[in-house]
Amino acid sequence: LFVSPRLEKLHGAFHDLINEIANIAQYLPPLQSWMRVKKRRREDMADVNVATNDRVMFTSLPNWYMDDVHQRLNVILRESFQPLNDYVQELRLRFDSIIRKAQEAHYDAMIVAMHAEKKHSFEGYIAKVEDYNQSIQAINGMWLLVIPCAFIIIKCMPDNEYLMMTRLYQSIAKRDLVIHANELRKFIIDEFVKHHWNYNLEICAIFETIKDRVLNVPQTTRELLELGQYMIRATSTLMVEQQDKITLSLRMMSSLIEMTTLNKHHVQLNNTTVQWLKRIRPIYERCAAMYEQMKFELEENLQEEVVILNTHVEDILIIFRLIIMDDMNDVKRIKEYIEDIRNLVYQLERMEKKAEWINAEETLFQFPLSLYPRIKELKENILPFYALVYRGYQWQRDRDVWLDGPFEYLDVQLIENKLNQYLTDFTKTNKQYKTRIKLQMAINYPYSFAGFVDDPDPFQQPAPLKLCYQLTEDVKWFKQFVPLLTIFRNPAVQQLHWDKMSAIAKFDLTPNAGTTFRKLINMNLMEDLEK
């Protein structure tokens, strides 16, 4: 907003006028020249040029005087145009928002700022639009009702403003201010429309999320109970929040209808948003029915699983422990036993996982936790026996490799160390089972192994002791042939020695590709070992 012509230009015009006045009558003839003018005219009949006459007198105002005049003129001009300056400044202050934002740089900055602001309040948009309405009314010279029962007169902006010595033409300024104010008002309204559109989309998106969440059939108990908690929150807190948002959306819609014309898509979206309050209720009812039905079924299934697990544990404890394991007393069938017991161990692991799952489900349903001491009892009975059978299986596997495997790969020291370890393990297991079975017999434990621990006949003792005895004897049998293996696997033996040993045995003993330790044992060379 500025005055045309500029005050600086007006001030300059007055100063130029003073300078022109000061330059008048600078070349004046003296009085004596006027007395002789007539005479010279008669004599010379020639014109006298006063400006070029060397007898003229040059006059000018002193510089200090001119400076003083200009300074006093500046003071007079400032005082004279001060009302105009004050009036223009008042207009600038009154319409600062329009004047400042109408400039291209400020207008772009306002657009960027409003787009950067993620959430502008409804009251903020209304206040901005109302500000521009008041500005437009003030520019056009209208009265404005600001608060109920109180009219406030806004100073109008006439087409011409008469000041002390100035008439200010304001028609163009009024027109431009109204144009810019309407543009800014339209921009705010457009942003308000976008805000309302996005606000409705946000409400609909939340309802869609609720719909998808409550209609998603849970696959586990945890998911079902989480759905129940979500339903409680959705039907209480979320619904209240959504109702408040829809109420605010309707208030926005009412205000927008008064400000501008909305397209049909906007109106349809608003109707869809409002209808969600009605559409969501049958969805809640459907979810509630599904929740109750699934919860009942899962609780029934949990009770059935508890019964099945307990029955399975008792069956294994009675059938496998009392019948099958008592018959596992033949070391020659140990490969069969290892498969049966391994399957049983796998069943134990599955039962443990099932018990953990049942306890987890009971925790979710807030039921008392079921206890399964029988599973622990089964583990205490089966796992040690499985360790014994598996150790016996390892022994038989090593024994067969040493007896029938490649003879040139046999390591005497390694074999001897393993034999000692096997003897130690079987002896230790035998002692542990003796102590354990005696304790079970003392307390009349119903699932103890059949047989007598102190029976002089090892084959009448309980199955674990019988296996330990057979395995120990088998290891001892193999160990007696280690000296023979030591001789035949001695790297210092030369062909001369093989010839001598062959002469004693009366057949060739030189090892070849088909030589095995079992064949050497079957040659009955132990009697001639000292030779």
Side-chain angles (χ1 to χ4, degrees):
L1 186 64
F2 59 90
V3 177
S4 180
R6 297 281 187 174
L7 291 181
E8 293 81 1
K9 188 174 181 180
L10 288 175
H11 291 185
F14 282 102
H15 285 285
D16 291 342
L17 179 60
I18 292 296
N19 290 332
E20 291 179 3
I21 294 174
N23 291 331
I24 296 176
Q26 285 185 337
Y27 299 95
L28 299 175
L31 293 176
Q32 293 85 352
S33 64
W34 288 101
M35 296 175 62
R36 292 191 294 270
V37 168
K38 187 175 182 180
K39 180 179 179 181
R40 283 202 303 271
R41 284 181 178 176
R42 287 196 304 266
E43 293 176 355
D44 300 334
M45 298 300 290
D47 295 333
V48 178
N49 188 349
V50 178
T52 59
N53 194 333
D54 57 353
R55 290 192 293 270
V56 298
M57 181 176 62
F58 177 79
T59 61
S60 64
L61 297 174
N63 291 334
W64 64 266
Y65 179 77
M66 291 301 298
D67 292 339
D68 182 63
V69 170
H70 283 295
Q71 290 178 1
R72 285 185 292 165
L73 179 60
N74 283 333
V75 173
I76 294 171
L77 290 175
R78 281 198 302 270
E79 293 176 353
S80 300
F81 288 101
Q82 187 61 41
L84 176 61
N85 286 331
D86 294 341
Y87 180 76
V88 173
Q89 184 63 27
E90 180 186 356
L91 290 180
R92 286 197 180 100
L93 293 176
R94 287 175 59 191
F95 304 110
D96 176 70
S97 60
I98 299 175
I99 296 171
R100 181 164 45 84
K101 293 177 182 177
Q103 301 176 13
E104 182 177 358
H106 291 92
Y107 188 69
D108 293 341
M110 182 187 69
I111 294 176
V112 172
M114 292 197 66
H115 280 293
E117 189 175 2
K118 294 183 179 179
K119 187 175 181 181
H120 201 285
S121 66
F122 164 60
E123 292 77 8
Y125 283 112
I126 297 298
K128 287 180 179 292
V129 173
E130 191 62 30
D131 288 343
Y132 288 119
N133 286 338
Q134 291 183 8
S135 298
I136 293 172
Q137 292 169 355
I139 294 169
N140 291 327
M142 298 178 65
W143 290 21
L144 179 65
L145 180 63
V146 178
I147 56 175
C149 303
F151 287 94
I152 297 179
I153 300 177
I154 297 178
K155 185 178 180 181
C156 65
M157 186 176 177
D159 291 340
N160 298 313
E161 181 69 23
Y162 295 92
L163 302 173
M164 183 175 66
M165 57 178 296
T166 309
R167 184 175 69 176
L168 188 62
Y169 297 95
Q170 302 183 128
S171 300
I172 298 176
K174 287 177 61 176
R175 181 198 64 193
D176 292 342
L177 284 174
V178 170
I179 290 174
H180 291 309
N182 281 324
E183 289 177 352
L184 293 171
R185 178 179 177 274
K186 183 178 182 301
F187 172 77
I188 297 298
I189 293 175
D190 291 342
E191 289 298 316
F192 191 12
V193 171
K194 293 178 183 177
H195 173 75
H196 185 248
W197 174 272
N198 294 330
Y199 192 73
N200 282 339
L201 289 179
E202 179 185 346
I203 295 173
C204 293
I206 294 175
F207 275 115
E208 289 289 349
T209 302
I210 295 174
K211 175 185 174 182
D212 295 339
R213 179 69 177 86
V214 300
L215 292 183
N216 184 25
V217 179
Q219 303 299 321
T220 63
T221 304
R222 181 178 296 277
E223 292 179 358
L224 178 67
L225 297 180
E226 288 177 353
L227 176 61
Q229 295 296 326
Y230 182 81
M231 277 290 296
I232 295 174
R233 178 171 172 267
T235 54
S236 57
T237 306
L238 287 181
M239 279 301 296
V240 172
E241 293 176 356
Q242 292 299 93
Q243 288 175 354
D244 293 341
K245 289 182 178 180
I246 290 176
T247 301
L248 180 58
S249 176
L250 291 175
R251 290 177 56 199
M252 292 184 189
M253 188 71 174
S254 176
S255 299
L256 285 173
I257 290 175
E258 296 177 358
M259 297 177 186
T260 185
T261 302
L262 300 175
N263 58 48
K264 64 177 182 179
H265 300 293
H266 197 120
V267 176
Q268 290 175 356
L269 176 61
N270 194 77
N271 293 337
T272 302
T273 304
V274 176
Q275 288 297 320
W276 264 113
L277 290 175
K278 182 178 180 181
R279 292 170 55 192
I280 200 66
R281 297 188 184 280
I283 296 175
Y284 282 154
E285 294 173 358
R286 177 181 172 185
C287 179
M290 176 188 68
Y291 174 80
E292 293 298 332
Q293 179 64 27
M294 289 193 65
K295 184 179 179 183
F296 173 77
E297 293 176 356
L298 288 173
E299 289 176 352
E300 290 293 320
N301 180 65
L302 178 61
Q303 298 302 322
E304 292 176 1
E305 291 292 339
V306 171
V307 174
I308 292 173
L309 179 60
N310 287 327
T311 304
H312 191 196
V313 172
E314 290 295 332
D315 291 342
I316 292 178
L317 189 61
I318 295 174
I319 297 175
F320 198 93
R321 174 64 189 82
L322 292 180
I323 300 175
I324 299 178
M325 288 178 62
D326 275 338
D327 292 335
M328 292 182 176
N329 53 17
D330 188 358
V331 74
K332 296 179 181 179
R333 300 175 58 191
I334 205 164
K335 291 182 180 179
E336 300 176 16
Y337 302 159
I338 192 67
E339 293 299 327
D340 294 337
I341 299 182
R342 185 173 290 164
N343 291 333
L344 180 60
V345 171
Y346 291 155
Q347 291 185 46
L348 280 175
E349 293 177 354
R350 288 194 293 269
M351 285 190 292
E352 280 189 311
K353 292 181 179 179
K354 177 64 71 173
E356 293 175 357
W357 176 83
I358 290 174
N359 287 337
E361 295 289 293
E362 290 171 339
T363 301
L364 292 174
F365 283 117
Q366 298 181 353
F367 292 165
L369 297 183
S370 300
L371 301 178
Y372 300 96
R374 290 296 196 186
I375 296 179
K376 182 179 179 181
E377 187 176 355
L378 272 175
K379 291 177 63 177
E380 292 175 352
N381 281 278
I382 294 175
L383 292 184
F385 191 74
Y386 172 69
L388 171 61
V389 173
Y390 184 72
R391 191 60 174 160
Y393 171 74
Q394 287 180 318
W395 152 246
Q396 291 185 351
R397 185 179 58 187
D398 287 342
R399 181 198 62 188
D400 292 341
V401 171
W402 296 335
L403 289 175
D404 301 316
F407 187 75
E408 62 272 17
Y409 293 124
L410 296 181
D411 186 339
V412 178
Q413 187 61 46
L414 176 63
I415 292 174
E416 192 169 7
N417 291 338
K418 281 195 171 185
L419 288 173
N420 293 331
Q421 186 62 48
Y422 280 125
L423 281 176
T424 301
D425 292 343
F426 295 144
T427 303
K428 181 180 178 181
T429 303
N430 184 69
K431 292 180 179 179
Q432 290 175 345
Y433 262 109
K434 277 187 177 181
T435 304
R436 182 185 183 89
I437 294 173
K438 285 182 178 180
L439 179 61
Q440 290 176 348
M441 293 177 65
I443 62 175
N444 294 322
Y445 182 65
Y447 304 110
S448 179
F449 285 95
F452 297 99
V453 175
D454 297 324
D455 196 306
D457 185 1
F459 291 96
Q460 300 300 321
Q461 294 178 359
L465 301 181
K466 192 183 299 185
L467 286 177
C468 288
Y469 172 76
Q470 296 177 70
L471 291 170
T472 302
E473 291 299 317
D474 197 20
V475 174
K476 290 179 180 179
W477 171 83
F478 188 93
K479 191 174 183 180
Q480 67 179 333
F481 298 107
V482 171
L484 180 63
L485 180 63
T486 303
I487 294 174
F488 275 79
R489 289 295 300 146
N490 189 346
V493 176
Q494 302 297 324
Q495 186 60 44
L496 175 64
H497 302 105
W498 293 119
D499 294 340
K500 290 181 179 181
M501 288 188 290
S502 298
I504 295 173
K506 298 180 181 180
F507 54 85
D508 188 12
L509 295 178
T510 305
N512 53 42
T515 301
T516 63
F517 192 33
R518 187 185 296 275
K519 291 180 180 180
L520 292 179
I521 294 174
N522 292 334
M523 291 178 183
N524 297 321
L525 300 175
M526 295 299 295
E527 297 177 357
D528 300 326
L529 189 62
E530 295 297 331
K531 298 179 181 180

